Amino acid sequence: MGRPRDPRHFGLVVGELRAGGVEVAVPELHRGSLPADTEAVQEVVDAMGEPPLVLGHSYGGSVITGLTGVGHLVYLAAFVPAEGESAAGLGGSTELLASSVVQDGGGLTHVDPAAAVELFYDDAPIGRATWAASLLRPQGPGCGRGVPQRQAWRGTPSTYVVCARDRAIDPGLQWTMSRRCGSATAWKTSHSPFISEPGRVAAVLRSLLRPRGGRLSAGLS
């Protein structure tokens, strides 16, 4: 279901947004459970004042689905759970992802950094891909099995970005989940375009922010 990211993974996108005057926050996820992650992001959303645009990637889609007070939801190769659904229950993990997961004991798992380059960042410059893989952390059990307590996409404007060359989450499942959103588009990118094409990610976020007027603010999960 994706691997725990370091907030620095979004650094290239953050830099472009902040250069354009956008207030940006990148809450740290994987605090032990979906409710804990949702609470942490909700605190950031509430502190931003007016409803921000929020992007969720991979498992982060489950997190943003449970939020309130959001102006626009962006699902980037992310899970869009309905009532009673979890990321794990939706499935979609590719054979390559399943074969790349290493059991650490105590329920923790990780993806070997060498395998992660091919799995998550195969369309990024090799130096950047290796750097991104080095930031991945072990994943604890339970987050992917969490069920959001609400479905924000039912009443909040939402956009889905399908990553058509994703080697981690089946693009077919992404297309299916995208039908729950207000609009959808597809990019011929890997699972992590914020590493391979950060300018493209920043551009689509700016395009969604501008029509709303007022202070421009975004959260990336």
Side-chain angles (χ1 to χ4, degrees), residues 136-211:
L136 293 172
R137 296 168 294 179
Q139 177 168 289
C143 288
R145 295 192 292 273
V147 176
Q149 295 303 300
R150 63 187 308 276
Q151 291 71 45
W153 51 268
R154 291 198 179 278
T156 304
S158 58
T159 299
Y160 198 103
V161 178
V162 175
C163 292
R165 289 183 50 195
D166 198 328
R167 297 185 175 188
I169 299 177
D170 179 13
L173 175 62
Q174 293 182 44
W175 274 116
T176 297
M177 294 187 293
S178 75
R179 299 188 186 104
R180 295 173 173 175
C181 297
S183 63
T185 188
W187 296 349
K188 293 181 180 179
T189 67
S190 69
H191 185 62
S192 307
F194 48 87
I195 297 296
S196 59
E197 297 192 37
R200 190 176 194 178
V201 176
V204 76
L205 296 180
R206 284 194 298 265
S207 72
L208 294 170
L209 283 165
R210 286 196 180 108

Side-chain angles (χ1 to χ4, degrees), residues 1-162:
M1 300 306 135
R3 294 290 104 185
R5 296 178 306 277
D6 185 296
R8 286 175 289 175
H9 279 113
F10 284 116
L12 296 171
V13 176
V14 169
E16 293 212 20
L17 291 174
R18 287 179 175 162
V22 180
E23 176 189 1
V24 187
V26 188
E28 187 165 354
L29 301 186
H30 291 277
R31 298 166 183 257
S33 69
L34 177 60
D37 288 337
T38 303
E39 181 180 359
V41 177
Q42 187 68 63
E43 289 178 359
V44 174
V45 167
D46 294 343
M48 283 184 157
E50 66 181 65
L53 176 151
V54 179
L55 179 146
H57 171 254
S58 197
Y59 159 73
S62 292
V63 177
I64 68 173
T65 291
L67 297 176
T68 62
V70 173
H72 198 113
L73 300 161
V74 179
Y75 290 88
L76 178 62
F79 292 96
V80 188
E83 290 85 350
E85 292 181 343
S86 66
L90 284 165
S93 295
T94 63
E95 291 185 8
L96 180 59
L97 174 58
S99 65
S100 301
V101 174
V102 179
Q103 301 292 330
D104 293 332
L108 293 174
T109 62
H110 77 275
V111 171
D112 181 85
V117 169
E118 177 184 4
L119 183 60
F120 301 129
Y121 317 112
D122 70 291
D123 57 344
I126 187 60
R128 192 186 303 167
T130 301
W131 165 79
S134 74
L135 297 179
L136 293 172
R137 296 168 294 179
Q139 177 168 289
C143 288
R145 295 192 292 273
V147 176
Q149 295 303 300
R150 63 187 308 276
Q151 291 71 45
W153 51 268
R154 291 198 179 278
T156 304
S158 58
T159 299
Y160 198 103
V161 178
V162 175

